[in-house]
């Protein structure tokens, strides 16, 4: 049995209980002996307490039988051995720390959702005026990389300590991030924002299927909750007025890539002295290196120059602000999302990601005046409700 003794925050003497031999250094002790007070010499001012009086004291290996036996043995002057260690303050204040963590994660989620809504609005405006998703994706990564390099150079954020092995482990995650980012942007350039995010609300289904293939098992209610998610997304896709196969496949590929990215990112951050913010910064920089040559090969500077002139003539200099805003907000919302991922599991992250899509879908329909049929809205509602059931079943 382990018992906890709450020590008063005052100086006390325990020379009759906790002993150390003369000549030994005053270091914290790991064991002590309980002896009969009558068998001890009484020395004044010769012994001091060797334990802290500011923290609770845990005494182990002292059972009820040991305690009774010690009372008998005290008559014979026998010794009873016990172990003592000081409790960590985090054990005492466990409840407040859990509450503070929940508040912290809640703030992360709210900030993440707001930033994502703003990004999607500006991203769609840019793609409507400048339909080059590969360059748009590259600019987003480049902007985030420059922001973090500036923060590291000015010590606003402490730069991470990395080695070659870290970058090797990060490379497959960066490949998945690049694929997911480009696929989502391509989808957004072909269909309405609301449709892209309705399809991407099926991310929990991908998360469960991928996790199952990796050996993780789930209870039956979790699998049953996927039925309305998949059915709702399918209904919304069939009834979409502006359905486009490239846009649909882009959203599906993005789902798969981001689920794998989240799982391996969580594993990659374990055991490493690197924060979620710095992890995503490194991920963004490596993705930029991977994406740039492909963007040049697929679209190229000549197409970009012609498209830019067209955008300036139709929209005016305002398009410059749109490009800058979508790039900045893309980095910020992903930065906060990785700060959230640092605190939660990949499945919980997928749930938060799906609930975020509700605000994106509603805001995009209002701002872009997207026509929505009742049956299409029903499909979206079923998918979102399935996500809610999934979150409850998963808990």
């Amino acid at each position: 049995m382990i018992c906890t003794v709450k020590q008063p925050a005052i100086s006390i003497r325990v020379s009759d209980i906790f002993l150390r031999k003369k000549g030994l250094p005053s270091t914290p002790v790991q064991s002590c002996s309980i002896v009969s007070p009558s068998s001890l010499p009484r020395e004044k001012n010769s012994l001091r307490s060797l334990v802290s009086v500011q923290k609770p004291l845990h005494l182990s290996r002292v059972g009820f039988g040991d305690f009774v036996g010690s009372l008998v043995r005290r008559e014979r002057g026998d010794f009873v051995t016990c172990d003592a260690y000081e409790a960590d303050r985090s054990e005492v204040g466990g409840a407040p720390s859990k509450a503070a963590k929940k508040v912290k994660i809640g703030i992360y989620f709210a900030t993440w959702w707001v930033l994502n809504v703003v990004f999607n609005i500006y991203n769609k405006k840019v793609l409507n005026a400048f339909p080059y998703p590969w360059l748009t994706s590259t600019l987003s990564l480049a902007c985030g990389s420059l922001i973090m390099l500036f923060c590291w150079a000015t010590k606003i954020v402490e730069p991470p300590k990395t080695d070659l092995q870290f970058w090797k482990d990060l490379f497959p995650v960066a490949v998945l991030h690049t694929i997911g980012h480009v696929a989502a942007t391509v989808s957004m350039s072909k269909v309405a924002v609301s449709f892209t995010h309705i399809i991407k609300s099926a991310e929990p289904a991908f998360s469960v299927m991928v996790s199952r293939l990796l050996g993780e098992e789930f209870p039956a209610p979790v699998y049953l909750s996927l039925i309305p998610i998949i059915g709702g997304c399918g209904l919304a896709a069939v009834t979409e007025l502006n359905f486009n196969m490239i846009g649909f496949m882009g959203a599906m590929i993005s789902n798969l890539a981001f689920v794998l990215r989240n799982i391996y990112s969580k594993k990659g951050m374990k055991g490493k002295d690197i924060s979620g913010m710095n992890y995503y910064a490194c991920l963004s920089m490596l993705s930029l290196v991977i994406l740039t040559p492909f963007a040049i090969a697929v679209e190229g500077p000549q197409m970009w120059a012609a498209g830019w002139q067209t955008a300036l003539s139709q929209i005016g200099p305002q398009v410059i602000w749109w490009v800058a805003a979508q790039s900045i907000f893309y980095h910020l919302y992903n930065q906060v999302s990785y700060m959230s991922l640092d605190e939660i599991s990949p499945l919980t992250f997928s749930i938060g990601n799906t609930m975020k899509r509700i605000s994106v879908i509603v805001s995009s329909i209002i701002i872009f005046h997207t026509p929505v049929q009742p049956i299409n809205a029903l499909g979206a509602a079923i998918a979102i409700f399935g996500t809610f059931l999934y979150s409850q079943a998963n808990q």
Side-chain angles (χ1 to χ4, degrees), residues 70-363:
S70 68
L71 295 180
V72 177
R73 287 192 294 270
R74 284 178 62 182
E75 298 299 327
R76 305 196 308 265
D78 294 340
F79 289 83
V80 179
T81 303
C82 67
D83 292 334
Y85 65 93
E86 290 177 346
D88 188 6
R89 286 191 179 274
S90 61
E91 296 179 10
V92 181
S97 63
K98 288 182 179 179
K101 184 177 181 179
K102 289 182 178 179
V103 172
K104 180 180 179 181
I105 294 174
I107 293 174
Y108 280 165
F109 269 43
T111 306
W112 171 25
W113 296 346
V114 171
L115 292 173
N116 188 260
V117 169
V118 177
F119 158 72
N120 277 278
I121 291 171
Y122 281 109
N123 190 46
K124 185 59 177 177
K125 286 185 175 182
V126 170
L127 292 172
N128 286 340
F130 185 74
Y132 296 95
W134 287 80
L135 176 60
T136 303
S137 302
T138 305
L139 292 175
S140 301
L141 295 174
C143 180
S145 300
L146 291 174
I147 290 173
M148 289 309 301
L149 287 174
F150 173 79
C151 291
W152 289 344
T154 57
K155 300 298 182 180
I156 296 176
V157 177
E158 189 68 24
K161 297 178 181 179
T162 61
D163 53 17
L164 182 59
Q165 186 60 44
F166 170 81
W167 292 100
K168 287 181 179 179
D169 295 338
L170 186 65
F171 182 79
V173 182
V175 171
L176 292 169
H177 179 68
T178 304
I179 294 172
H181 177 38
V182 174
T185 309
V186 169
S187 174
M188 205 88 69
S189 68
K190 298 296 183 180
V191 295
V193 176
S194 57
F195 178 70
T196 297
H197 282 274
I198 289 172
I199 301 305
K200 285 176 69 64
S201 65
E203 188 172 311
F206 284 84
S207 183
V208 170
M209 289 187 289
V210 171
S211 298
R212 184 68 184 85
L213 291 174
L214 294 176
E216 188 173 354
E217 295 185 358
F218 301 93
V222 171
Y223 294 109
L224 293 175
S225 68
L226 301 181
I227 296 176
I229 295 177
I230 298 172
C233 289
L235 181 61
V238 171
T239 58
E240 173 63 29
L241 295 175
N242 300 312
F243 180 84
N244 180 281
M245 182 55 71
I246 296 177
F248 175 77
M249 292 304 299
M252 296 291 283
I253 293 171
S254 177
N255 274 341
L256 179 59
F258 280 152
V259 164
L260 288 170
R261 180 203 66 176
N262 295 340
I263 292 173
Y264 287 108
S265 291
K266 189 68 178 179
K267 291 182 179 180
M269 285 189 284
K270 281 184 178 180
K272 291 185 173 62
D273 187 18
I274 184 170
S275 65
M277 176 182 290
N278 281 335
Y279 187 89
Y280 176 71
C282 295
L283 177 63
S284 184
M285 293 174 188
L286 189 54
S287 294
L288 175 63
V289 174
I290 296 171
L291 176 58
T292 301
F294 287 96
I296 295 173
V298 174
E299 295 175 346
Q302 292 184 347
M303 295 178 63
W304 295 338
W308 186 250
Q309 291 298 325
T310 303
L312 285 175
S313 62
Q314 293 179 352
I315 307 297
Q318 190 177 11
V319 72
I320 299 175
W321 158 247
W322 291 354
V323 172
Q326 74 91 22
S327 300
I328 293 172
F329 282 104
Y330 173 80
H331 174 76
L332 292 178
Y333 102 76
N334 274 286
Q335 195 82 82
V336 177
S337 73
Y338 260 79
M339 292 167 68
S340 302
L341 184 59
D342 200 14
E343 304 283 344
I344 58 179
S345 68
L347 285 175
T348 305
F349 182 87
S350 294
I351 295 170
N353 207 17
T354 302
M355 299 306 291
K356 168 205 69 180
R357 301 195 194 285
I358 299 175
S359 55
V360 174
I361 291 169
V362 173
S363 61

